[in-house]
Amino acid sequence: MTDHFLQEKFDNRRFLLLNVNKIWQIAVGAVAGACLFAFLYYLKTDILQGEPLYRAQTLYGITFDREQVDNIHDYYNDYTWNEILDSDQIAGRAAGKLGDLSKEEVAAATTIPTMSDIRFIWVYVDMESREQADRVMAAVGEALQEFALATDGFTEIAVWDVKETGQIREISLIGRMTVGGAVIGALAACFIICFASAMDDSVYTEQDAEERLGVPPAGVIMKSGKQQPEFFEKELMENLKKLLGDKLSEEKIGIIGILSADSVCGFSAEREKEYLKEVLEKCFPNAEVVEASVEQTEGEDADLDASILPVPYGKKNGKTLELVWKDLSLQERLPDAVVIVGADEKFYRRYYRK
């Protein structure tokens, strides 16, 4: 019996009816995920990024002297130019002109992006202020001009274009991060709902009760405070007469015990039990209906002619019910009938289409 929970087949209708009201949780998960990812992106780009950087951009035109070195242009590309920028010939000279920065600091601040024409190079200088970026760019420009004069194969390196120094701003990905967070949040909510449903061992349907206890229930009693549906009341009465008919009859005087598992299963259904008592009195007018405990008592059990076990609806105690049923079986006190109490009428009508 303890393996039934793992061997149960997936009931699509049961799952959908029980979780249709949880769609709002998926929406909440999507909103929460979107807000979380947007906040983390804002935290990374605006708060934890540190001091803003400013970029000075200058385009230099290169004039080669092919009379000195015919194939010199085959050697110089963006890779070799970045190496030259970091060397003593450029970074070292520029640091000497600036006086307050080292060669390594100048080298770290300067870059040359991919070149599309060997005759032109863009030089980027990234510093923490506009003034500093412009100073370093001016020193690097002078070092480049001196490099051209001192190196065979070059006639000159001159300024061709200058862009205004401005703050470096990354392309905003806030939209993508928000959408991605919403998707992940919705998927996480779906996973939690599915996981909770998979771990829920509650008794909802009559099939659930049969899988837990191995016997079909005699019927269902809806949650208190409502008039019991005629169809379910009629079914309950007919099944109780059949199940208890061998021990009791309408004329026979006997005692029927409604076994209480409140202390074990942690639920209370007093009004539903009162209704069950009324149904039993209609079925067996001469019988006395009493409450009994699932825990064995010597005198009480001996007086009972028949017994019924109320099973709570949706209380997440299926394994506890299995344990109670096992104990009753070992004590040879199995009830004559099982009844689901406290059920949701709307769920049952939709599930059974009644």
Side-chain angles (χ1 to χ4, degrees):
M1 187 186 303
T2 57
D3 294 333
H4 286 173
F5 180 62
L6 297 176
Q7 298 172 356
E8 292 174 10
K9 295 181 180 179
F10 185 72
D11 190 335
N12 294 325
R13 184 184 297 176
R14 175 182 181 274
F15 174 81
L16 291 174
L17 290 176
L18 290 174
N19 294 289
V20 67
N21 294 328
K22 297 180 181 178
I23 293 177
W24 65 271
Q25 296 180 7
I26 299 176
V28 170
V31 172
C35 293
L36 176 61
F37 274 60
F39 173 74
L40 291 177
Y41 182 77
Y42 169 76
L43 190 67
K44 173 184 177 296
T45 56
D46 290 61
I47 298 178
L48 300 180
Q49 189 178 22
E51 294 295 330
L53 290 177
Y54 295 86
R55 173 171 289 176
Q57 305 177 58
T58 301
L59 177 64
Y60 292 93
I62 306 169
T63 303
F64 293 101
D65 187 349
R66 297 194 178 184
E67 292 182 1
Q68 290 182 332
V69 182
D70 182 49
N71 62 345
I72 186 172
H73 60 280
D74 294 334
Y75 173 75
Y76 289 94
N77 53 43
D78 51 274
Y79 177 77
T80 53
W81 273 117
N82 275 294
E83 284 191 337
I84 294 170
L85 272 184
D86 296 342
S87 67
D88 291 333
Q89 294 172 297
I90 306 298
R93 287 182 181 181
K97 296 175 184 296
L98 294 167
D100 58 343
L101 293 175
S102 65
K103 168 195 166 184
E104 289 73 19
E105 290 174 320
V106 174
T110 55
T111 55
I112 292 178
T114 301
M115 298 169 60
S116 58
D117 190 330
I118 61 171
R119 296 172 299 172
F120 297 96
I121 56 172
W122 277 102
V123 177
Y124 296 164
V125 175
D126 300 336
M127 299 297 291
E128 294 181 357
S129 69
R130 289 187 176 89
E131 296 76 13
Q132 194 76 326
D134 290 335
R135 284 183 64 234
V136 174
M137 180 62 78
V140 170
E142 293 178 13
L144 283 169
Q145 293 171 4
E146 294 172 2
F147 171 79
L149 294 174
T151 306
D152 292 339
F154 291 92
T155 299
E156 68 172 351
I157 298 177
V159 175
W160 274 65
D161 188 17
V162 177
K163 288 188 177 180
E164 183 180 355
T165 303
Q167 184 178 344
I168 300 175
R169 297 185 181 277
E170 297 180 0
I171 298 175
S172 178
L173 301 177
I174 186 66
R176 294 181 182 180
M177 294 296 291
T178 302
V179 173
V183 172
I184 293 175
L187 291 176
C190 289
F191 172 79
I192 293 172
I193 291 173
C194 292
F195 181 80
S197 296
M199 298 304 294
D200 186 1
D201 63 351
S202 302
V203 170
Y204 292 104
T205 66
E206 295 183 347
Q207 289 85 344
D208 292 337
E210 187 171 359
E211 287 172 350
R212 297 282 176 273
L213 308 179
V215 296
V220 182
I221 298 176
M222 301 304 164
K223 192 178 299 184
S224 61
K226 295 182 179 180
Q227 181 66 32
Q228 297 296 319
E230 181 180 352
F231 170 82
F232 292 104
E233 180 174 329
K234 181 180 179 182
E235 178 187 54
L236 177 62
M237 292 182 66
E238 290 177 352
N239 290 337
L240 287 176
K241 288 179 180 179
K242 181 178 180 180
L243 292 171
L244 277 63
D246 293 340
K247 297 182 178 180
L248 297 167
S249 64
E250 295 184 6
E251 295 78 17
K252 183 179 178 181
I253 298 176
I255 300 177
I256 304 173
I258 300 177
L259 301 180
S260 174
D262 295 12
S263 60
V264 180
C265 298
F267 81 100
S268 178
E270 296 301 326
R271 293 185 180 179
E272 289 84 350
K273 291 178 184 177
E274 286 297 323
Y275 172 75
L276 176 59
K277 183 177 181 180
E278 293 175 6
V279 171
L280 288 170
E281 289 173 348
K282 291 179 182 179
C283 295
F284 308 101
N286 295 322
E288 179 184 0
V289 182
V290 299
E291 287 198 22
S293 174
V294 293
E295 299 174 355
Q296 188 172 14
T297 55
E298 295 181 2
E300 184 180 75
D301 293 340
D303 295 334
L304 298 179
D305 295 294
S307 61
I308 298 175
L309 176 66
V311 173
Y313 169 92
K315 295 299 183 180
K316 297 179 175 56
N317 54 9
K319 303 306 284 186
T320 304
L321 285 171
E322 291 183 13
L323 183 62
V324 169
W325 191 265
K326 184 196 72 172
D327 291 342
L328 290 172
S329 177
L330 292 175
Q331 298 167 16
E332 297 182 353
R333 299 172 57 236
L334 282 178
D336 300 284
V338 172
V339 178
I340 299 175
V341 297
D344 184 348
E345 181 180 347
K346 184 182 294 186
F347 168 81
Y348 262 80
R349 286 190 179 279
R350 289 176 177 176
Y351 186 83
Y352 291 104
R353 298 177 181 177
K354 297 296 185 183

